[in-house]
Amino acid sequence: MTSPVPRRPTQTVAEFARYLRTETTGGLILLAATAIALIWANSPIGDVYRTIRDFELGPELFHLNLTIGEWAKDGLLAIFFFVVGLELKRELVVGELSKIKQAALPIVGAIGGMLIPAALALSIAWGEPGIDKAWAIPVATDIAFALGVLALTGSNLPSSARVFLLSLAVVDDLGAIIVIAVLFTASFDLVAGAIALVALALYAFLQHKRVRTPWLYVPLALITWIAVHSAGIHATIAGVALGLLTRVHADKDEEHAPAVRLEHRLQPWSAGFAVPVFALFAAGIEVSGESMTEVFTTKLPLAIMAGLLAGKLLGIFGFSFLAVKLRIADKPKDVQWRDIAALSVLGGVGFTVSLLITELSLDGEATELAKAAVLLASAAASLLAAAMLIRRSKAHAHEGTD
């Protein structure tokens, strides 16, 4: 009896390259949507933008009378988080995070990249209204933007550096998911929660029985989403749960496992439509000299910017360095500490999930100031990281020619 053929390194790199190319395109679309939102919200027809964003749509049944902006936040982002769930499941079962020694470095780095920004934000804005939940805003890293910047500026970096960033971002997303589930569940409807659990159990059962028809899975996914939303848990958690229950091992008669097929099909919709539409309605803040002054003189937005810019660098790099020195993890031989430093700065691109947590944790003027802080810090982190990555890419290219 022959043993199964192990996954070849070239297959892993090729699959990762495909992911990078998709996220690069998605990152550019996301950037365009953000620019459109800012220009539109501050134009003479800014009232039209706010009217559309705040227009209610949907039945009151199951609390589905949401605004357009809320549909983008609760509905479309569920697709994004479903793709994240698929990626997380695949990485944990058959990918880089399935190997303890290789997974240790990005896991420890991601933990540091969550703890230090949160601690820094709390220390700066302690006592400020809303900081009891807003400390979570700088915890997140945006996969689309981070991988997009890396693909555009770090073409000569070793593949292990790119795998480190992807693994780190996946673990970071898991942390953000836990924060959203725990921190923003104010009340819980037991009946709706029970329906959600039954729907998820049925989804897992159908996966186990190798049922493949979308005619069952699509209605089941909608039922799960509605039940989770009605239960009082943020609806994006439904996407994550469904992704984690999807099968990642292909059968003999399958070219790809369901998780891989669904990721390939939904990734373009997530990166090219769901996330940009969310950004369109989340990033439209009103910019003025007075508001920009407040961003740089008010503790809460300063705490967010410090968390994303300084906290991510100190947390990811510091924890990674300690993990290697304490022999908890191994640093890839072809990756230098300057590469890790550049990737740590890139971790400060919070954007999508940071904007989501901002909307969940704050209201009124504080929301606008926090969003401005997220956008400014993410832009600064991406530009600084891009400059560092270009320099590191040139250094690796030079080493390759020696």
Side-chain angles (χ1 to χ4, degrees):
M1 183 175 179
T2 59
S3 59
V5 178
R7 193 187 224 194
R8 295 176 64 83
T10 52
Q11 291 176 315
T12 304
V13 174
E15 191 171 302
F16 186 71
R18 177 205 60 76
Y19 192 89
L20 276 177
R21 285 195 295 271
T22 305
E23 292 296 350
T24 303
T25 305
L28 292 174
I29 297 172
L30 182 57
L31 186 61
T34 304
I36 291 170
L38 288 168
I39 293 168
W40 190 1
N42 292 279
S43 71
I45 56 170
D47 289 339
V48 176
Y49 170 85
R50 286 176 280 277
T51 300
I52 295 173
R53 182 193 62 192
D54 299 333
F55 181 76
E56 281 195 5
L57 186 69
E60 291 189 22
L61 185 66
F62 305 124
H63 311 289
L64 294 177
N65 52 328
L66 306 174
T67 65
I68 298 293
E70 288 171 335
W71 275 112
K73 177 178 67 178
D74 294 357
L76 289 179
L77 275 195
I79 299 172
F80 165 75
F81 276 101
F82 178 62
V83 174
V84 168
L86 293 172
E87 180 67 25
L88 178 60
K89 174 70 175 287
R90 189 164 58 80
E91 287 296 317
L92 288 170
V93 176
V94 298
E96 294 301 319
L97 297 180
S98 65
K99 303 156 190 164
I100 299 300
K101 203 66 176 177
Q102 291 183 20
L105 188 63
I107 288 174
V108 172
I111 291 171
M114 290 183 280
L115 292 178
I116 301 303
L120 193 56
L122 278 169
S123 65
I124 292 173
W126 184 261
E128 291 292 302
I131 192 59
D132 57 321
K133 292 182 178 179
W135 59 264
I137 294 172
V139 162
T141 294
D142 189 287
I143 292 179
F145 253 123
L147 291 179
V149 172
L150 177 61
L152 288 170
T153 60
S155 57
N156 291 314
L157 260 68
S159 60
S160 52
R162 295 166 178 158
V163 171
F164 171 81
L165 179 64
L166 176 59
S167 303
L168 180 122
V170 168
V171 177
D172 191 284
D173 272 343
L174 176 61
I177 290 160
I178 294 170
V179 167
I180 292 170
V182 174
L183 203 61
F184 302 106
T185 302
S187 59
F188 186 75
D189 187 308
L190 287 175
V191 175
I195 293 171
L197 287 175
V198 170
L200 288 169
L202 182 54
Y203 181 94
F205 175 77
L206 293 172
Q207 284 285 299
H208 178 70
K209 289 298 182 181
R210 275 33 181 190
V211 175
R212 299 176 188 175
T213 174
W215 295 104
L216 285 175
Y217 287 118
V218 173
L220 201 54
L222 289 173
I223 291 169
T224 304
W225 182 88
I226 292 171
V228 170
H229 174 76
S230 300
I233 304 171
H234 196 265
T236 53
I237 301 301
V240 178
L242 290 167
L244 289 173
L245 291 173
T246 304
R247 186 163 51 88
V248 295
H249 286 293
D251 290 336
K252 291 181 180 179
D253 61 336
E254 293 178 312
E255 185 180 356
H256 299 291
V260 176
R261 289 200 308 270
L262 285 168
E263 190 182 335
H264 284 192
R265 290 174 184 174
L266 293 176
Q267 182 79 38
W269 288 101
S270 171
F273 179 73
V275 175
V277 171
F278 164 73
L280 179 65
F281 292 110
I285 58 173
E286 295 183 62
V287 179
S288 65
E290 184 179 347
S291 64
M292 285 297 100
T293 300
E294 286 189 65
V295 168
F296 291 100
T297 56
T298 307
K299 285 186 178 180
L300 186 59
L302 283 173
I304 293 168
M305 288 191 288
L308 285 171
L309 289 171
K312 282 289 184 180
L313 171 60
L314 293 173
I316 297 171
F317 184 84
F319 273 55
S320 297
F321 185 80
L322 285 174
V324 172
K325 292 300 178 183
L326 296 174
R327 297 183 180 179
I328 297 171
D330 291 334
K331 180 176 69 67
K333 293 180 180 179
D334 54 354
V335 175
Q336 299 179 20
W337 283 116
R338 291 180 183 180
D339 301 327
I340 301 291
L343 296 173
S344 300
V345 173
L346 192 54
V349 182
F351 209 83
T352 304
V353 183
S354 290
L355 287 176
L356 172 61
I357 295 175
T358 299
E359 294 206 340
L360 294 174
S361 59
L362 299 168
D363 51 39
E365 185 184 359
T367 306
E368 299 295 296
L369 292 176
K371 284 183 179 181
V374 169
L375 294 176
L376 287 169
S378 296
S382 61
L383 291 172
L384 180 58
M388 294 173 71
L389 287 167
I390 289 171
R391 188 169 181 176
R392 293 307 306 151
S393 187
K394 288 180 179 178
H396 280 284
H398 181 71
E399 290 170 6
T401 59
D402 287 344

Short mmCIF file of all heavy atoms in Angstrom, two decimals, residues 18-33 76-77 79-81 83-84 142-145 147-148 262-279 351-352:
data_model
loop_
_atom_site.label_atom_id
_atom_site.label_comp_id
_atom_site.label_asym_id
_atom_site.label_seq_id
_atom_site.Cartn_x
_atom_site.Cartn_y
_atom_site.Cartn_z
N ARG A 18 -0.79 32.67 -5.79
CA ARG A 18 -2.13 32.96 -6.31
C ARG A 18 -2.88 33.85 -5.32
O ARG A 18 -3.55 34.81 -5.70
CB ARG A 18 -2.90 31.65 -6.51
CG ARG A 18 -4.34 31.87 -6.97
CD ARG A 18 -5.23 30.72 -6.60
NE ARG A 18 -5.30 30.49 -5.17
CZ ARG A 18 -6.00 31.23 -4.34
NH1 ARG A 18 -6.69 32.27 -4.77
NH2 ARG A 18 -6.02 30.96 -3.04
N TYR A 19 -2.74 33.53 -4.05
CA TYR A 19 -3.42 34.31 -3.01
C TYR A 19 -2.91 35.75 -3.00
O TYR A 19 -3.69 36.70 -2.90
CB TYR A 19 -3.17 33.65 -1.65
CG TYR A 19 -4.04 34.18 -0.54
CD1 TYR A 19 -5.29 33.62 -0.28
CD2 TYR A 19 -3.62 35.24 0.25
CE1 TYR A 19 -6.08 34.10 0.73
CE2 TYR A 19 -4.42 35.73 1.27
CZ TYR A 19 -5.65 35.15 1.51
OH TYR A 19 -6.44 35.63 2.52
N LEU A 20 -1.61 35.90 -3.14
CA LEU A 20 -1.02 37.23 -3.17
C LEU A 20 -1.55 38.06 -4.35
O LEU A 20 -1.89 39.23 -4.21
CB LEU A 20 0.51 37.13 -3.27
CG LEU A 20 1.28 36.95 -1.97
CD1 LEU A 20 2.75 36.79 -2.27
CD2 LEU A 20 1.04 38.10 -1.02
N ARG A 21 -1.64 37.44 -5.52
CA ARG A 21 -2.10 38.17 -6.71
C ARG A 21 -3.54 38.63 -6.52
O ARG A 21 -3.89 39.76 -6.86
CB ARG A 21 -1.99 37.28 -7.95
CG ARG A 21 -0.58 37.11 -8.47
CD ARG A 21 -0.59 36.53 -9.87
NE ARG A 21 -1.15 35.19 -9.87
CZ ARG A 21 -0.43 34.10 -9.69
NH1 ARG A 21 0.87 34.19 -9.47
NH2 ARG A 21 -0.99 32.91 -9.71
N THR A 22 -4.37 37.76 -5.96
CA THR A 22 -5.77 38.12 -5.73
C THR A 22 -5.86 39.27 -4.74
O THR A 22 -6.62 40.22 -4.93
CB THR A 22 -6.55 36.91 -5.20
OG1 THR A 22 -6.38 35.82 -6.10
CG2 THR A 22 -8.02 37.21 -5.08
N GLU A 23 -5.11 39.17 -3.64
CA GLU A 23 -5.17 40.20 -2.61
C GLU A 23 -4.59 41.53 -3.09
O GLU A 23 -5.00 42.59 -2.65
CB GLU A 23 -4.43 39.72 -1.35
CG GLU A 23 -5.13 38.57 -0.65
CD GLU A 23 -6.49 38.94 -0.10
OE1 GLU A 23 -6.84 40.12 -0.08
OE2 GLU A 23 -7.22 38.02 0.31
N THR A 24 -3.63 41.47 -4.02
CA THR A 24 -3.09 42.71 -4.57
C THR A 24 -4.19 43.48 -5.30
O THR A 24 -4.37 44.68 -5.09
CB THR A 24 -1.94 42.41 -5.55
OG1 THR A 24 -0.94 41.66 -4.86
CG2 THR A 24 -1.33 43.68 -6.07
N THR A 25 -4.91 42.78 -6.15
CA THR A 25 -6.01 43.41 -6.87
C THR A 25 -7.06 43.92 -5.90
O THR A 25 -7.56 45.05 -6.02
CB THR A 25 -6.66 42.39 -7.84
OG1 THR A 25 -5.65 41.87 -8.70
CG2 THR A 25 -7.74 43.05 -8.67
N GLY A 26 -7.42 43.07 -4.91
CA GLY A 26 -8.40 43.47 -3.92
C GLY A 26 -7.96 44.69 -3.13
O GLY A 26 -8.77 45.57 -2.82
N GLY A 27 -6.66 44.76 -2.80
CA GLY A 27 -6.13 45.90 -2.06
C GLY A 27 -6.24 47.19 -2.85
O GLY A 27 -6.56 48.26 -2.30
N LEU A 28 -5.99 47.12 -4.15
CA LEU A 28 -6.11 48.31 -5.01
C LEU A 28 -7.56 48.77 -5.13
O LEU A 28 -7.85 49.97 -5.09
CB LEU A 28 -5.54 48.00 -6.41
CG LEU A 28 -4.02 47.76 -6.47
CD1 LEU A 28 -3.61 47.32 -7.87
CD2 LEU A 28 -3.26 49.02 -6.07
N ILE A 29 -8.50 47.80 -5.25
CA ILE A 29 -9.92 48.15 -5.30
C ILE A 29 -10.36 48.76 -3.98
O ILE A 29 -11.12 49.73 -3.94
CB ILE A 29 -10.77 46.90 -5.63
CG1 ILE A 29 -10.42 46.37 -7.03
CG2 ILE A 29 -12.26 47.23 -5.57
CD1 ILE A 29 -11.06 45.04 -7.35
N LEU A 30 -9.86 48.19 -2.88
CA LEU A 30 -10.18 48.70 -1.55
C LEU A 30 -9.68 50.13 -1.39
O LEU A 30 -10.38 50.99 -0.84
CB LEU A 30 -9.54 47.79 -0.51
CG LEU A 30 -9.78 48.10 0.97
CD1 LEU A 30 -11.26 48.12 1.28
CD2 LEU A 30 -9.06 47.07 1.83
N LEU A 31 -8.48 50.41 -1.89
CA LEU A 31 -7.92 51.75 -1.83
C LEU A 31 -8.77 52.73 -2.64
O LEU A 31 -9.05 53.85 -2.19
CB LEU A 31 -6.48 51.73 -2.36
CG LEU A 31 -5.68 53.02 -2.24
CD1 LEU A 31 -5.52 53.43 -0.80
CD2 LEU A 31 -4.31 52.85 -2.89
N ALA A 32 -9.21 52.29 -3.81
CA ALA A 32 -10.06 53.14 -4.66
C ALA A 32 -11.39 53.42 -3.99
O ALA A 32 -11.89 54.57 -4.01
CB ALA A 32 -10.30 52.45 -6.01
N ALA A 33 -11.99 52.41 -3.34
CA ALA A 33 -13.27 52.59 -2.65
C ALA A 33 -13.13 53.58 -1.49
O ALA A 33 -14.03 54.41 -1.25
CB ALA A 33 -13.78 51.24 -2.14
N LEU A 76 -22.25 41.85 4.00
CA LEU A 76 -21.15 41.62 3.05
C LEU A 76 -19.87 41.18 3.74
O LEU A 76 -19.13 40.33 3.21
CB LEU A 76 -20.90 42.89 2.22
CG LEU A 76 -21.98 43.25 1.20
CD1 LEU A 76 -21.61 44.54 0.47
CD2 LEU A 76 -22.18 42.12 0.19
N LEU A 77 -19.61 41.71 4.94
CA LEU A 77 -18.38 41.31 5.63
C LEU A 77 -18.45 39.86 6.11
O LEU A 77 -17.42 39.25 6.41
CB LEU A 77 -18.08 42.23 6.81
CG LEU A 77 -17.31 43.52 6.50
CD1 LEU A 77 -16.79 44.15 7.78
CD2 LEU A 77 -16.17 43.30 5.53
N ILE A 79 -19.19 37.47 4.18
CA ILE A 79 -18.52 36.76 3.08
C ILE A 79 -17.00 36.81 3.29
O ILE A 79 -16.30 35.82 3.15
CB ILE A 79 -18.89 37.38 1.72
CG1 ILE A 79 -20.39 37.27 1.49
CG2 ILE A 79 -18.13 36.71 0.58
CD1 ILE A 79 -20.87 38.03 0.26
N PHE A 80 -16.51 38.02 3.63
CA PHE A 80 -15.08 38.19 3.91
C PHE A 80 -14.63 37.27 5.04
O PHE A 80 -13.61 36.58 4.94
CB PHE A 80 -14.81 39.65 4.28
CG PHE A 80 -13.47 39.91 4.92
CD1 PHE A 80 -12.31 39.91 4.17
CD2 PHE A 80 -13.37 40.16 6.29
CE1 PHE A 80 -11.07 40.15 4.75
CE2 PHE A 80 -12.15 40.40 6.88
CZ PHE A 80 -10.99 40.40 6.11
N PHE A 81 -15.42 37.20 6.11
CA PHE A 81 -15.04 36.38 7.25
C PHE A 81 -15.22 34.89 6.96
O PHE A 81 -14.54 34.05 7.58
CB PHE A 81 -15.83 36.80 8.50
CG PHE A 81 -15.21 37.96 9.23
CD1 PHE A 81 -15.71 39.24 9.09
CD2 PHE A 81 -14.12 37.77 10.05
CE1 PHE A 81 -15.14 40.31 9.74
CE2 PHE A 81 -13.53 38.83 10.72
CZ PHE A 81 -14.03 40.10 10.57
N VAL A 83 -14.43 33.58 4.05
CA VAL A 83 -13.16 33.29 3.36
C VAL A 83 -12.03 33.21 4.38
O VAL A 83 -11.16 32.34 4.29
CB VAL A 83 -12.87 34.37 2.29
CG1 VAL A 83 -11.49 34.16 1.68
CG2 VAL A 83 -13.93 34.33 1.19
N VAL A 84 -12.04 34.10 5.38
CA VAL A 84 -11.03 34.05 6.45
C VAL A 84 -11.13 32.72 7.19
O VAL A 84 -10.11 32.09 7.51
CB VAL A 84 -11.21 35.23 7.43
CG1 VAL A 84 -10.37 35.03 8.69
CG2 VAL A 84 -10.83 36.54 6.76
N ASP A 142 -5.07 44.19 8.44
CA ASP A 142 -5.85 43.97 7.24
C ASP A 142 -5.08 43.08 6.25
O ASP A 142 -4.03 43.47 5.74
CB ASP A 142 -6.18 45.31 6.58
CG ASP A 142 -7.18 45.17 5.45
OD1 ASP A 142 -6.79 44.65 4.39
OD2 ASP A 142 -8.34 45.56 5.62
N ILE A 143 -5.61 41.88 5.99
CA ILE A 143 -4.92 40.93 5.10
C ILE A 143 -4.76 41.51 3.70
O ILE A 143 -3.69 41.45 3.09
CB ILE A 143 -5.68 39.59 5.04
CG1 ILE A 143 -5.60 38.87 6.38
CG2 ILE A 143 -5.09 38.68 3.96
CD1 ILE A 143 -6.34 37.55 6.42
N ALA A 144 -5.87 42.05 3.16
CA ALA A 144 -5.86 42.52 1.77
C ALA A 144 -4.81 43.60 1.55
O ALA A 144 -3.99 43.51 0.63
CB ALA A 144 -7.25 43.05 1.39
N PHE A 145 -4.81 44.62 2.41
CA PHE A 145 -3.86 45.71 2.25
C PHE A 145 -2.42 45.25 2.51
O PHE A 145 -1.50 45.58 1.74
CB PHE A 145 -4.20 46.86 3.20
CG PHE A 145 -4.79 48.05 2.51
CD1 PHE A 145 -6.01 48.55 2.89
CD2 PHE A 145 -4.10 48.69 1.48
CE1 PHE A 145 -6.56 49.66 2.25
CE2 PHE A 145 -4.64 49.79 0.84
CZ PHE A 145 -5.89 50.28 1.23
N LEU A 147 -1.00 42.20 2.38
CA LEU A 147 -0.45 41.34 1.33
C LEU A 147 -0.32 42.09 0.01
O LEU A 147 0.57 41.81 -0.80
CB LEU A 147 -1.33 40.11 1.15
CG LEU A 147 -1.31 39.12 2.32
CD1 LEU A 147 -2.23 37.94 2.04
CD2 LEU A 147 0.10 38.62 2.61
N GLY A 148 -1.22 43.04 -0.23
CA GLY A 148 -1.12 43.85 -1.44
C GLY A 148 0.15 44.67 -1.47
O GLY A 148 0.87 44.71 -2.48
N LEU A 262 -14.32 26.61 -2.57
CA LEU A 262 -15.10 27.77 -2.12
C LEU A 262 -14.22 29.01 -2.01
O LEU A 262 -14.65 30.12 -2.35
CB LEU A 262 -15.76 27.47 -0.78
CG LEU A 262 -16.97 26.53 -0.83
CD1 LEU A 262 -17.36 26.08 0.57
CD2 LEU A 262 -18.15 27.24 -1.49
N GLU A 263 -13.00 28.82 -1.54
CA GLU A 263 -12.08 29.96 -1.43
C GLU A 263 -11.77 30.55 -2.79
O GLU A 263 -11.77 31.77 -2.97
CB GLU A 263 -10.80 29.53 -0.73
CG GLU A 263 -9.89 30.69 -0.36
CD GLU A 263 -8.60 30.21 0.28
OE1 GLU A 263 -8.57 29.11 0.86
OE2 GLU A 263 -7.60 30.96 0.17
N HIS A 264 -11.54 29.69 -3.77
CA HIS A 264 -11.25 30.15 -5.14
C HIS A 264 -12.44 30.91 -5.72
O HIS A 264 -12.28 31.91 -6.42
CB HIS A 264 -10.92 28.95 -6.03
CG HIS A 264 -9.54 28.42 -5.81
ND1 HIS A 264 -8.93 27.52 -6.66
CD2 HIS A 264 -8.63 28.65 -4.82
CE1 HIS A 264 -7.72 27.24 -6.20
NE2 HIS A 264 -7.53 27.90 -5.10
N ARG A 265 -13.67 30.42 -5.43
CA ARG A 265 -14.86 31.05 -5.99
C ARG A 265 -15.23 32.35 -5.29
O ARG A 265 -15.67 33.30 -5.93
CB ARG A 265 -16.05 30.07 -5.90
CG ARG A 265 -15.95 28.88 -6.85
CD ARG A 265 -17.07 27.90 -6.61
NE ARG A 265 -16.94 26.71 -7.44
CZ ARG A 265 -17.73 25.65 -7.34
NH1 ARG A 265 -18.70 25.63 -6.44
NH2 ARG A 265 -17.54 24.60 -8.13
N LEU A 266 -15.06 32.37 -3.98
CA LEU A 266 -15.53 33.52 -3.21
C LEU A 266 -14.48 34.59 -2.98
O LEU A 266 -14.81 35.74 -2.68
CB LEU A 266 -16.07 33.05 -1.85
CG LEU A 266 -17.34 32.21 -1.90
CD1 LEU A 266 -17.72 31.73 -0.50
CD2 LEU A 266 -18.49 33.01 -2.50
N GLN A 267 -13.19 34.24 -3.09
CA GLN A 267 -12.12 35.22 -2.88
C GLN A 267 -12.28 36.47 -3.74
O GLN A 267 -12.19 37.60 -3.23
CB GLN A 267 -10.76 34.57 -3.14
CG GLN A 267 -9.55 35.47 -2.91
CD GLN A 267 -9.23 35.61 -1.44
OE1 GLN A 267 -9.34 34.65 -0.70
NE2 GLN A 267 -8.83 36.79 -1.03
N PRO A 268 -12.55 36.33 -5.06
CA PRO A 268 -12.72 37.54 -5.88
C PRO A 268 -13.92 38.39 -5.44
O PRO A 268 -13.85 39.62 -5.47
CB PRO A 268 -12.93 36.98 -7.30
CG PRO A 268 -12.31 35.63 -7.27
CD PRO A 268 -12.56 35.10 -5.89
N TRP A 269 -15.00 37.73 -5.03
CA TRP A 269 -16.18 38.47 -4.57
C TRP A 269 -15.91 39.17 -3.24
O TRP A 269 -16.37 40.29 -3.01
CB TRP A 269 -17.37 37.52 -4.41
CG TRP A 269 -17.93 37.06 -5.71
CD1 TRP A 269 -17.71 35.86 -6.34
CD2 TRP A 269 -18.78 37.81 -6.59
NE1 TRP A 269 -18.38 35.82 -7.54
CE2 TRP A 269 -19.04 36.99 -7.72
CE3 TRP A 269 -19.35 39.08 -6.53
CZ2 TRP A 269 -19.85 37.41 -8.78
CZ3 TRP A 269 -20.15 39.50 -7.57
CH2 TRP A 269 -20.39 38.68 -8.68
N SER A 270 -15.15 38.51 -2.37
CA SER A 270 -14.80 39.09 -1.08
C SER A 270 -13.88 40.30 -1.26
O SER A 270 -14.15 41.40 -0.76
CB SER A 270 -14.14 38.04 -0.20
OG SER A 270 -13.61 38.62 0.97
N ALA A 271 -12.76 40.07 -1.98
CA ALA A 271 -11.75 41.11 -2.15
C ALA A 271 -12.18 42.20 -3.13
O ALA A 271 -11.80 43.36 -2.98
CB ALA A 271 -10.43 40.48 -2.62
N GLY A 272 -12.98 41.81 -4.15
CA GLY A 272 -13.33 42.78 -5.19
C GLY A 272 -14.66 43.47 -5.01
O GLY A 272 -14.93 44.48 -5.67
N PHE A 273 -15.51 42.95 -4.09
CA PHE A 273 -16.83 43.56 -3.92
C PHE A 273 -17.20 43.78 -2.45
O PHE A 273 -17.45 44.91 -2.03
CB PHE A 273 -17.90 42.69 -4.60
CG PHE A 273 -19.30 43.24 -4.46
CD1 PHE A 273 -19.70 44.36 -5.17
CD2 PHE A 273 -20.21 42.64 -3.59
CE1 PHE A 273 -20.99 44.89 -5.02
CE2 PHE A 273 -21.50 43.15 -3.44
CZ PHE A 273 -21.88 44.27 -4.16
N ALA A 274 -17.23 42.70 -1.66
CA ALA A 274 -17.73 42.80 -0.29
C ALA A 274 -16.93 43.80 0.56
O ALA A 274 -17.51 44.72 1.16
CB ALA A 274 -17.70 41.41 0.37
N VAL A 275 -15.61 43.64 0.60
CA VAL A 275 -14.78 44.53 1.42
C VAL A 275 -14.76 45.96 0.88
O VAL A 275 -14.89 46.92 1.65
CB VAL A 275 -13.35 43.96 1.56
CG1 VAL A 275 -12.45 44.93 2.31
CG2 VAL A 275 -13.39 42.62 2.29
N PRO A 276 -14.61 46.17 -0.45
CA PRO A 276 -14.65 47.55 -0.95
C PRO A 276 -15.98 48.27 -0.69
O PRO A 276 -15.98 49.46 -0.38
CB PRO A 276 -14.42 47.38 -2.46
CG PRO A 276 -13.63 46.13 -2.57
CD PRO A 276 -14.18 45.24 -1.51
N VAL A 277 -17.11 47.55 -0.79
CA VAL A 277 -18.41 48.19 -0.51
C VAL A 277 -18.50 48.56 0.96
O VAL A 277 -19.00 49.64 1.32
CB VAL A 277 -19.58 47.27 -0.92
CG1 VAL A 277 -20.91 47.83 -0.42
CG2 VAL A 277 -19.63 47.11 -2.44
N PHE A 278 -18.01 47.67 1.84
CA PHE A 278 -17.96 48.02 3.26
C PHE A 278 -17.13 49.28 3.47
O PHE A 278 -17.52 50.20 4.19
CB PHE A 278 -17.38 46.87 4.07
CG PHE A 278 -16.95 47.27 5.46
CD1 PHE A 278 -17.89 47.54 6.44
CD2 PHE A 278 -15.60 47.42 5.78
CE1 PHE A 278 -17.50 47.94 7.72
CE2 PHE A 278 -15.20 47.81 7.03
CZ PHE A 278 -16.15 48.07 8.01
N ALA A 279 -15.95 49.33 2.83
CA ALA A 279 -15.07 50.49 2.95
C ALA A 279 -15.74 51.76 2.42
O ALA A 279 -15.58 52.84 2.99
CB ALA A 279 -13.76 50.25 2.22
N PHE A 351 -7.05 48.93 8.95
CA PHE A 351 -8.12 49.16 7.98
C PHE A 351 -9.41 48.36 8.21
O PHE A 351 -10.15 48.67 9.11
CB PHE A 351 -7.61 48.97 6.55
CG PHE A 351 -8.39 49.84 5.58
CD1 PHE A 351 -8.02 51.15 5.41
CD2 PHE A 351 -9.49 49.36 4.92
CE1 PHE A 351 -8.76 51.97 4.57
CE2 PHE A 351 -10.24 50.17 4.08
CZ PHE A 351 -9.85 51.47 3.90
N THR A 352 -9.70 47.33 7.38
CA THR A 352 -11.04 46.73 7.35
C THR A 352 -11.56 46.34 8.73
O THR A 352 -12.61 46.82 9.16
CB THR A 352 -11.05 45.48 6.43
OG1 THR A 352 -10.57 45.86 5.14
CG2 THR A 352 -12.46 44.93 6.30
#
